[in-house]
Structures are given as C-alpha cells and as structure tokens.
Amino acid sequence: MSKLQLLHTCLDQDKTEILICAPGKLVPKATHSQLASRRNLGVTFDSTHLFRPALVLVEEVKLCASSCQLQNEDVYMNTTFQDFMQMCVRKLRGEDNDEELIVDYVEKEINKMTVMMPHQLFIKGEFVDAEGGKTYKTINPTDGTVICDVSLAQTSDVNKAVAAAKEAFEEGEWGKMNPRDRGRLIYKLADLMEQHQEELATIEAIDSGAVYTLALKTHVGMSIQTFRYFAGWCDKIQGSTIPINQARPNRNLTFTKKEPIGVCAIVIPWNYPLMMLAWKAAACLAAGNTMVLKPAQVTPLTALKFAELAAKAGLPKGVINILPGSGALVGQCLSDHPDVRKLGFTGSTEVGKHIMKSCAVSNIKKVSLELGGKSPLIICSDCDMDKAVRMGMSSVFFNKGENCIAAGRLFVEDSIHDQFLVKVVEEVKKMKIGDPLDRSTDHGPQNHKAHLDKLVEYCQIGVKEGATLVCGGKQVQRPGFFFEPTVFTDVQDHMYIAKEESFGPVMIISKFKSGDVDDVLRRANATEYGLASGVFTQDISKALYISERLEAGTVFVNTYNKTDVAAPFGGFKQSGFGKDLGKKFSHSCCIHLMLKTLV
C-alpha cells in the first residue's frame, strides 16, 4: 500500500475527534480497530487507554509517510483527526505549500549592491495598491531626487488592515500558537533582518539621510537586538496565584493571567524609521497581539522591507500590516477606530495630545506616548574635560541631531565654559558633511526639506533674541537638505531656543555659577519636558545628588545616548508615558497586555 493510500484509508475509516486536554496536548479517542492498526505500525498501547498525546500521532505519520514534514502549528490548527489526516495528504501531494509572496520591487544599484524595495501597502500578508491607486513620492534627502512612488493609504485601506489584524488575532493561528513557537518565528524574523542588514541600512540611508555606518550599527543593529530580546520573552509572560480569605465552607483558588490585548496601532516618526518600528512592534508581537503600523510619510521604505521579511519568516497573514500615508488621515483613522485596542505613538507633544483625546473619545483605547524633549546636560568643572567634550558633541550631533533624547540644552559651569567652548568648536570644524553612503562622512542631510527650513528659522530666532552664534546656523550650499552643525552660547533662560526643541544639530550652551548645583537643577527642570538628561562630574556624591533630582525618564552619568534593549525607556511630564524596551512590557501596568483575575 502506498503512503497516500494508507493515509486515505485512515481518512475513510477514522472520524475520531482530537480533544485538546492541555496546552500543546492533542489526544484522540481510540477505537479497537484503530489501536490494532497502530500495533501493525509498531506502536503499542495499553487497551485501557482512551487518550494519547499528539506526539504519538505525529510519530505515526512519520512512520508511514516520512516525507510529510510537520510543524507544531500543523497539529494545533487541525483539531480533529480527519482534519489532521487531510492536512497530511495535502502536504504529501504538495498542495499545502505556502503561497509565494508577490512583490513589485523598485530596484536600485546603489552602495555596491542591488537594493530591492517594496513600495505598496502591506495588508493581510500581501503587497497591494492603495484605494484608487493613489501614490506619493518619497525623496532622497542627499540630493532631493525621487526614490520611488509609494502607495498612499486611504480610509478604506485602514479599515481593511484593521479587519485583517482583528481576524488574525481572533480566528487565526497566531492567537492559538504556543508562545515558544511565536518566539521561534520572531527569532527567525530577526535572523532574516540580520541577513539583509546591509540592504536595510542602505535603504535607511537613502530614505532618511542616516549615515550608513550609523544606520548599520544603530538603526538596523539595535532593531535586530530588539526582536531577539523580545522573542526570548514570549514564553516568560506569567501570572501569579493569590491567597485570599476563603468563603467557608467553600475554598477558592485565585490566580491572574496576562493576555494579549488585541489589535494594536503603531505610529512612528522619521528619525529612526526601523528602530522605532522595532522598539514598539517587537514587544507587541511577543505579547501575542497583532498590529497595524503607520510609518512616517517621509520614511516608509524600511518598514515595507520589514513587512516582506516578516512574511518570509512565516508570520501568519494579518499579524503585521503596514500603511504608508499621512498622519492626518491614517493616524487619525487608527486613533478613532473602534477595533483598535491600543495605540503606541512617538512624535511631537502637540500631536500626542490630539491622539490621546481621540483614543479616549473613540473607545478608551490604551495609549503609550513618547513625545518631545528638551533634555538638559549639566557639565561640572570637575568633569573629565575630553570625555565631556566628546560625549557632549555626541549628545547633540548624533544622527544629525534628529534624536529624541538629544541634549537640547547644555549647562556648563562658568569656570570651564570658555575652555569647553573652544574644544567643541575645534571638533565641529573637523566634522565631514557629505553623502551618508560615504564611509568617511560624519554628518549627513536632514531628513526632509520642511525640517531643514525649520532649523534655519530656529537659528534666526536665536540670533534675533541675542544669543551668540559661534558657528553654523545656515543651510550648506550643495544639493540636498544639509545643515551646518551649529553652536550657540550666552543663551538666557527666557529665550525661545532655551525652551523649544530644535530636533537638529544645534548645540545650546548656557553658563551656571560655580558650585551652585541647586540653581542649575532648578533651571534644568524648568521645562514641561522630561525625556532624558545627563551630568558630567567625577564626584560620585554630586553625580548621585544631581541624578536623583533631575526630572527625566533617563539620566546619563558621564556618558550619553547609551540605550539598551534591556533598559526601560520613556519620559516624564509632557514627554509622554509608557515604557519601551525592557521587561516592564510584561508587567500588569503594560499596555501590551491585559491582566485578568480568575477566582
């Protein structure tokens, strides 16, 4: 008898139901004839046993059809013996292969490689055009040229994506999958991202202006680390048992479970397109949710490449959906949508307030916000001067200043102010401005033209108000959106540039009186923002005193910009609430999970 005939015989004779008796355990009721057939296959059972683990069922298939390759989810998704055997037959016939992902690539020969970029919406596991075929042009900030046309999502596209995510969560295999298998898929996704890291970094460089070497290490490198970190958390999301007063004569068991919340919307900014996606999406997926993500309209390409890799990693259809489009339309629709249960946003405080209001009015969806900042950096006279200069430069000019935790204002003790300023200007003059794909470039173009224009205006206001412009402050005269690294000093507390974030390569320096730590703390905290902060001093007591009193979600001591996937990240005050990264995502206060009490 052939393998197919044997399996067909099983189908014809066996209508047994497979019962789910425990997580990961499928056992069918057995008839005497079935037990006899199993003995013929070399599998023995006690005739009194009416149940058996799914493992034995799988082993039987291997004995009679060794070419039928099975995964755990093949068992989970076929909950009757008949369905299971039919699935095996389809696999043997070659009818059960995954559909090939069809991608209409935009191909470019750049950075000594062929870069292949998806440019359509990604909904329910497929790349599709937006309603009405609407598109927009995404621009290379290095020279202002068009990279390609990208599909522009419309309201109906948002509804389709949310419906796909809801279906995948409520009815698809993602919601039924063992957490370890979910983690395995996320690990596979991270591996694929690593295999394509040079391509992802190249796309990030041409789409956002990030220097390639930084994009490879930080934009892409930390994204890979983030997915791997959260993949390891999938099977470690646990509840607890709680002793309670017994309602005599009964005795009660009380315990908690942490459950995924459902469809999550994610709206990310343009400064770290892939890394911001990873920070929010990895925890969302690890918790078992599905997602609809809107990348920034000016930087959609790495998110779409990520969608391609997610599909190839085997994430089920509908789990990830990507919608390039405008914030006013797509972002607003996601905020208002009744089937979205949680929204994560990184962007301006003004937009964050509007999102929070919309989420409350629509269906009181959970919200996490990472908003604006004006992070103070205090540099004391007893610091390591060379290190303070080096890290002070990084605190402002890292990623062209397009950095949410950038030091928006440096307070330098007056006794070392002049020395510090001279050293900073010397270092600024050494910075090479140029093509982000050039490995020797230190400073690439700003992300887009509108942002460049705002930086020019920002510096003009600073000069007009009386701050001293030491260097920079102008657009670089070359194609593209380049802006000179800029240094202001003599900045007074009432000035616009002392209070408002530039989000660009602009160093704002103010003096503080020698030894007056409490006064500089008062000035540093006199802001509605509280995302990050820092202090440079070799006095450990002073470092602890200052760090305990700085009102910010992160305080850097004798370093800056050091973030890690294991360390929670988020702001105070109007810099938002909710934490990205770290194990906090699995705590009961986390918006990726719901805490359920059972008594």
Side-chain angles (χ1 to χ4, degrees):
M1 183 180 293
S2 70
K3 296 174 182 177
L4 282 176
Q5 287 175 325
L6 179 59
L7 287 172
H8 276 302
T9 300
C10 293
L11 284 174
D12 292 337
Q13 296 179 355
D14 198 328
K15 305 299 182 182
T16 303
E17 289 185 353
I18 296 177
L19 305 178
I20 300 175
C21 63
K25 297 285 187 178
L26 267 59
V27 292
K29 293 181 179 178
T31 65
H32 289 292
S33 61
Q34 290 160 0
L35 287 171
S37 66
R38 288 165 197 157
R39 291 191 190 97
N40 292 334
L41 288 170
V43 181
T44 60
F45 295 97
D46 186 320
S47 61
T48 61
H49 287 183
L50 297 179
F51 301 97
R52 62 178 181 149
L55 176 62
V56 179
L57 182 66
V58 173
E59 290 303 315
E60 288 187 19
V61 173
K62 289 181 179 179
L63 284 173
C64 66
S66 59
S67 61
C68 184
Q69 299 297 314
L70 298 177
Q71 303 294 329
N72 287 341
E73 53 263 36
D74 293 328
V75 182
Y76 302 147
M77 296 305 297
N78 295 276
T79 55
T80 69
F81 189 73
Q82 182 178 13
D83 290 342
F84 177 79
M85 298 307 291
Q86 286 176 340
M87 177 271 299
C88 292
V89 171
R90 289 196 302 271
K91 279 184 174 289
L92 286 169
R93 288 174 174 170
E95 299 173 357
D96 204 50
N97 295 326
D98 292 335
E99 296 178 19
E100 182 180 357
L101 180 67
I102 299 173
V103 187
D104 179 23
Y105 291 110
V106 173
E107 296 187 26
K108 287 188 178 293
E109 295 293 332
I110 190 169
N111 201 23
K112 298 181 180 179
M113 69 179 75
T114 301
V115 176
M116 303 178 69
M117 299 174 287
H119 63 100
Q120 298 167 290
L121 312 182
F122 187 73
I123 301 174
K124 203 173 183 179
E126 298 179 347
F127 286 102
V128 296
D129 290 334
E131 180 190 6
K134 293 190 176 182
T135 63
Y136 70 97
K137 300 183 185 304
T138 187
I139 305 298
N140 185 340
T142 303
D143 56 13
T145 60
V146 174
I147 301 173
C148 64
D149 289 333
V150 177
S151 294
L152 183 68
Q154 304 299 303
T155 301
S156 62
D157 299 313
V158 176
N159 292 334
K160 290 175 186 176
V162 173
K166 184 180 181 183
E167 180 183 0
F169 179 76
E170 294 181 352
E171 302 173 23
E173 60 184 295
W174 186 250
K176 302 178 179 68
M177 192 176 293
N178 183 289
R180 288 183 183 172
D181 291 323
R182 188 164 68 239
R184 179 178 57 80
L185 289 178
I186 298 174
Y187 274 124
K188 186 175 179 181
L189 171 58
D191 290 343
L192 281 173
M193 291 173 69
E194 187 170 53
Q195 292 171 25
H196 290 263
Q197 60 183 337
E198 289 86 1
E199 184 179 22
L200 287 165
T202 300
I203 296 172
E204 197 94 329
I206 65 174
D207 203 27
S208 75
V211 173
Y212 175 78
T213 50
L214 178 66
L216 190 62
K217 178 182 178 182
T218 301
H219 291 232
V220 178
M222 192 174 185
S223 299
I224 295 167
Q225 292 176 25
T226 303
F227 278 102
R228 285 185 174 146
Y229 175 82
F230 282 107
W233 270 106
C234 288
D235 61 352
K236 301 171 185 67
I237 301 171
Q238 302 165 347
S240 59
T241 56
I242 304 169
I244 64 170
N245 291 333
Q246 302 300 330
R248 296 179 180 177
N250 299 320
R251 297 186 63 81
N252 303 104
L253 170 67
T254 301
F255 62 97
T256 61
K257 291 178 62 182
K258 293 176 181 176
E259 299 182 346
I261 191 168
V263 179
C264 297
I266 299 173
V267 181
I268 57 174
W270 42 259
N271 57 326
Y272 294 105
L274 186 63
M275 194 170 78
M276 291 296 98
L277 178 155
W279 281 24
K280 297 193 181 300
C284 172
L285 296 174
N289 299 297
T290 58
M291 56 179 261
V292 180
L293 181 138
K294 191 200 87 64
Q297 188 170 352
V298 292
T299 54
L301 296 181
T302 42
L304 294 172
K305 188 68 180 180
F306 166 82
E308 175 198 343
L309 298 179
K312 290 181 176 178
L315 272 74
K317 293 181 178 182
V319 172
I320 292 174
N321 304 272
I322 310 290
L323 299 178
S326 73
L329 193 153
V330 178
Q332 187 64 55
C333 286
L334 290 171
S335 299
D336 293 337
H337 205 292
D339 290 332
V340 172
R341 294 300 174 185
K342 183 258 173 174
L343 190 146
F345 171 75
T346 296
S348 71
T349 298
E350 180 183 4
V351 174
K353 290 178 179 179
H354 183 77
I355 285 175
M356 195 173 175
K357 180 179 179 180
S358 296
C359 289
V361 171
S362 57
N363 60 340
I364 317 183
K365 56 177 63 71
K366 294 190 175 188
V367 183
S368 62
L369 302 172
E370 192 232 292
L371 307 176
K374 187 67 175 174
S375 302
L377 175 57
I378 299 172
I379 300 176
C380 302
S381 59
D382 62 350
C383 69
D384 178 332
M385 177 60 75
D386 290 339
K387 185 175 184 180
V389 169
R390 185 174 67 254
M391 300 307 298
M393 291 277 295
S394 174
S395 75
V396 175
F397 301 120
F398 188 83
N399 199 47
K400 312 161 290 170
E402 295 169 355
N403 186 20
C404 53
I405 58 173
R409 192 174 181 193
L410 277 66
F411 293 94
V412 181
E413 200 159 352
D414 56 9
S415 62
I416 62 168
H417 170 272
D418 293 349
Q419 180 188 5
F420 180 85
L421 183 61
V422 168
K423 288 181 174 289
V424 163
V425 173
E426 287 176 355
E427 294 302 315
V428 168
K429 290 179 179 178
K430 296 177 185 177
M431 294 175 68
K432 180 180 177 181
I433 302 172
D435 184 347
L437 294 175
D438 185 334
R439 304 307 192 267
S440 64
T441 294
D442 300 307
H443 188 79
Q446 305 309 135
N447 187 276
H448 53 280
K449 182 64 164 58
H451 182 52
L452 173 66
D453 293 341
K454 286 183 179 180
L455 289 174
V456 172
E457 182 184 10
Y458 184 91
C459 292
Q460 289 173 346
I461 293 172
V463 171
K464 184 177 180 180
E465 289 189 332
T468 301
L469 178 62
V470 181
C471 62
K474 301 186 299 295
Q475 180 178 356
V476 179
Q477 295 305 306
R478 58 174 290 167
F481 310 140
F482 292 86
F483 189 77
E484 296 175 343
T486 300
V487 178
F488 277 100
T489 192
D490 300 323
V491 178
Q492 306 303 311
D493 294 354
H494 67 276
M495 293 180 178
Y496 176 83
I497 63 173
K499 296 184 290 184
E500 297 299 326
E501 181 180 27
S502 71
F503 211 66
V506 183
M507 182 178 285
I508 307 296
I509 301 176
S510 299
K511 299 178 185 178
F512 71 94
K513 294 179 181 179
S514 293
D516 199 345
V517 172
D518 288 327
D519 186 60
V520 74
L521 280 168
R522 176 190 60 79
R523 295 168 67 193
N525 289 329
T527 173
E528 278 299 302
Y529 300 114
L531 192 56
S533 59
V535 57
F536 278 83
T537 175
Q538 296 188 79
D539 183 336
I540 185 63
S541 296
K542 186 188 295 183
L544 290 172
Y545 183 87
I546 291 174
S547 61
E548 288 173 358
R549 287 161 178 78
L550 284 168
E551 298 170 358
T554 299
V555 181
F556 298 106
V557 179
N558 293 327
T559 187
Y560 209 89
N561 284 326
K562 177 54 183 172
T563 55
D564 188 88
V565 295
F569 179 88
F572 292 174
K573 299 188 281 190
Q574 291 196 45
S575 286
F577 53 84
K579 296 290 185 181
D580 291 323
L581 308 180
K583 66 180 182 180
K584 289 288 184 183
F585 97 104
S586 70
H587 289 194
S588 60
C589 59
C590 175
I591 61 308
H592 289 110
L593 294 158
M594 298 184 295
L595 186 68
K596 179 185 287 184
T597 301
L598 298 96
V599 181

